[in-house]
Amino acid sequence: MLRTATRHFIARGTNQSIRNICTTSPAWMSKKSSSALPDDETIRLTLPETSFQMYNAEAPSFELEISKKEMFDMYTEMSTIRRLEVVSDGLYKSKKVRGFCHLSTGEEAVAVGIEHAITPNDHIITSYRCHGYTFLRGASVKSILAELMGRSAGVSKGKGGSMHMFTNNFYGGNGIVGAQVPLGAGVAFAQKYLGIPSTTLALYGDGAANQGQVFEAFNMAKLWDLPVIFLCENNKYGMGTSAERSSASVEYYKRGDYIPGIRVNGMDVFAMKKAVQWARDWTISSKGPLVMEVTTYRYGGHSMSDPGTTYRTREEIQQVRATSDPISYLKKVMLEQNVATEDELKEIEMKAKKEVDNARKEAEQSPEPDVKEFWTDIYVPGSEPKAIRGCEPTVLHHYSS
């Protein structure tokens, strides 16, 4: 039974104050106060019972302890990613970004929840909707925007663009639908082979969920009980096709068959954090892989070339924004539980806007890569052939011996 009351107590063996909260109770929904919590207070949230649906596994606990500082960090990161995508949208429309560009506006809770549940030593590989993950894994906003514009200050030196960004323990940004899933299984195999206690999250969308290579990766991962979380970001549409039209079964968390699964509310950053914590513990304790489906929603089209309104209505998008926006939900929790004030959250939003806008100006000032960069980052240094062909058969670049 969910708690419907709030009480304070001191955690045994510590001096840290903890408060129990049920995020679905009438008391939580109606509580109003203007005084903020002390910085060192930890809140114990009770998640809604609808947060998880399970397949061949026991559900995680619905209790989550989280500090005020971490909630502020979450809000800052989600606001920064939202602004990053807004600026990316503007740069594309002004023709400063060329090629493909896929934005994650509306899906911020997925990336932020994951990052707050894992460690820097864990690994992530994803598809082309990757800007937020690149930022959370350590890349600067400037380096991401510069990469989008093909500038030398880009995280991939301006040679990868929107779909090919990499940083520490983050393996992209991959453009081929579903191809990153077996690569993620390979990263997990390496961790198990080397005896490193870390997990790998191999992310893919509902549009890639029917790819044969996904099921091949499932099979190998279970054969070897690899520490990998196969995470399906179900944003309801694969390009312009709804999940119901493309898939005989839309219960993607059950697709592993012999692999246990969990479906998570991906619009709730707290549910995401709790579920990924549970999944990480599962995989690094030699229980084998998991399939995780997170239900989320993108406000924009599949890519910048897709208006996103030919296969769904504007009313549908507005309804999700009004009722399920992940940043608005986090804001509501923080305000009603005295974690923050309106002014504090507004300050975070304004600071995120200023920092991203300044990063955009700096990124625009970065030069394009030097022509010599065409020949770098192809081979491991020392393993290059004598020469490599350019775009034309008559163009050869000779590596120095």
Side-chain angles (χ1 to χ4, degrees):
M1 180 179 296
L2 296 178
R3 300 178 187 272
T4 59
T6 299
R7 65 187 180 93
H8 293 79
F9 65 96
I10 302 298
R12 183 175 297 172
T14 74
N15 292 319
Q16 189 176 47
S17 177
I18 298 179
R19 184 169 60 166
N20 284 341
I21 296 169
C22 170
T23 59
T24 57
S25 70
W28 180 87
M29 296 299 290
S30 62
K31 183 179 172 72
K32 304 283 186 182
S33 179
S34 59
S35 61
L37 294 173
D39 290 341
D40 62 348
E41 184 162 4
T42 295
I43 297 172
R44 179 170 292 157
L45 300 174
T46 300
L47 302 174
E49 292 182 343
T50 54
S51 297
F52 314 125
Q53 293 174 263
M54 306 305 298
Y55 173 68
N56 288 347
E58 293 292 327
S61 167
F62 289 92
E63 303 295 321
L64 174 68
E65 290 187 10
I66 187 167
S67 68
K68 172 182 175 179
K69 179 183 182 303
E70 185 171 3
M71 293 173 79
F72 268 93
D73 289 343
M74 285 177 165
Y75 196 83
T76 300
E77 290 159 357
M78 291 171 72
S79 298
T80 300
I81 294 171
R82 178 72 59 92
R83 184 61 188 173
L84 169 62
E85 298 293 54
V86 169
V87 169
S88 300
D89 178 276
L91 289 171
Y92 190 95
K93 289 175 179 174
S94 63
K95 298 185 178 180
K96 293 181 180 179
V97 175
R98 301 286 183 168
F100 296 102
C101 185
H102 306 79
L103 306 181
S104 63
T105 310
E107 301 182 18
E108 297 86 358
V110 178
V112 172
I114 288 172
E115 193 62 37
H116 279 258
I118 62 176
T119 74
N121 295 324
D122 294 313
H123 307 263
I124 297 177
I125 186 168
T126 188
S127 59
Y128 34 73
R129 209 175 303 279
C130 64
H131 305 160
Y133 294 102
T134 308
F135 168 68
L136 293 170
R137 291 266 91 183
S140 68
V141 173
K142 174 186 173 181
S143 72
I144 295 170
L145 293 174
E147 189 61 40
L148 286 170
M149 293 185 283
R151 306 301 177 90
S152 60
V155 67
S156 298
K157 302 180 183 178
K159 298 186 288 184
S162 173
M163 299 193 294
H164 304 292
M165 300 184 182
F166 309 89
T167 186
N168 189 45
N169 289 338
F170 177 67
Y171 307 91
N174 292 267
I176 306 301
V177 175
Q180 72 278 3
V181 178
L183 295 179
V187 173
F189 174 79
Q191 302 313 301
K192 182 167 185 175
Y193 183 82
L194 296 171
I196 299 173
S198 64
T199 195
T200 299
L201 289 104
L203 282 70
Y204 57 100
D206 53 287
N210 299 318
Q211 287 276 319
Q213 58 194 326
V214 172
F215 294 93
E216 291 176 29
F218 286 177
N219 181 61
M220 297 303 292
K222 185 56 184 174
L223 277 173
W224 294 330
D225 276 339
L226 300 182
V228 58
I229 303 165
F230 295 109
L231 194 152
C232 176
E233 291 181 279
N234 178 9
N235 61 20
K236 310 293 190 286
Y237 298 93
M239 298 187 71
T241 304
S242 68
E244 288 76 13
R245 290 183 61 214
S246 68
S247 300
S249 169
V250 294
E251 293 182 311
Y252 297 107
Y253 68 111
K254 297 181 179 180
R255 289 286 191 92
D257 187 17
Y258 37 77
I259 300 175
I262 177 174
R263 175 185 278 166
V264 186
N265 177 9
M267 303 300 272
D268 179 349
V269 70
F270 304 120
M272 281 300 308
K273 174 181 167 67
K274 186 66 179 184
V276 176
Q277 281 179 332
W278 171 83
R280 182 183 186 275
D281 291 342
W282 176 290
T283 56
I284 66 173
S285 59
S286 301
K287 293 182 179 178
L290 281 170
V291 175
M292 178 181 291
E293 174 191 352
V294 299
T295 55
T296 184
Y297 197 85
R298 54 171 166 81
Y299 297 153
H302 170 72
S303 68
M304 287 300 299
S305 61
D306 169 23
T309 53
T310 57
Y311 47 87
R312 58 182 181 174
T313 64
R314 295 184 187 275
E315 290 73 23
E316 176 186 312
I317 301 168
Q318 292 167 355
Q319 175 71 7
V320 176
R321 276 186 179 272
T323 61
S324 303
D325 182 76
I327 298 178
S328 296
Y329 177 71
L330 175 57
K331 180 178 183 177
K332 184 179 182 67
V333 174
M334 295 177 73
L335 288 175
E336 297 196 358
Q337 296 306 323
N338 287 329
V339 174
T341 64
E342 283 275 9
D343 288 343
E344 286 175 318
L345 296 182
K346 187 65 176 178
E347 183 179 355
I348 289 174
E349 294 166 11
M350 295 303 295
K351 184 177 180 181
K353 181 180 184 297
K354 182 179 179 180
E355 290 182 352
V356 174
D357 291 350
N358 288 340
R360 174 186 58 79
K361 294 175 183 177
E362 294 178 7
E364 287 180 300
Q365 294 170 2
S366 176
E368 293 183 353
D370 192 280
V371 174
K372 67 181 181 181
E373 288 293 338
F374 277 120
W375 314 107
T376 62
D377 302 315
I378 301 173
Y379 294 94
V380 174
S383 67
E384 305 93 341
K386 292 182 179 180
I388 187 171
R389 197 183 80 178
C391 295
E392 299 292 334
T394 56
V395 177
L396 290 177
H397 171 76
H398 296 271
Y399 287 101
S400 59
S401 57

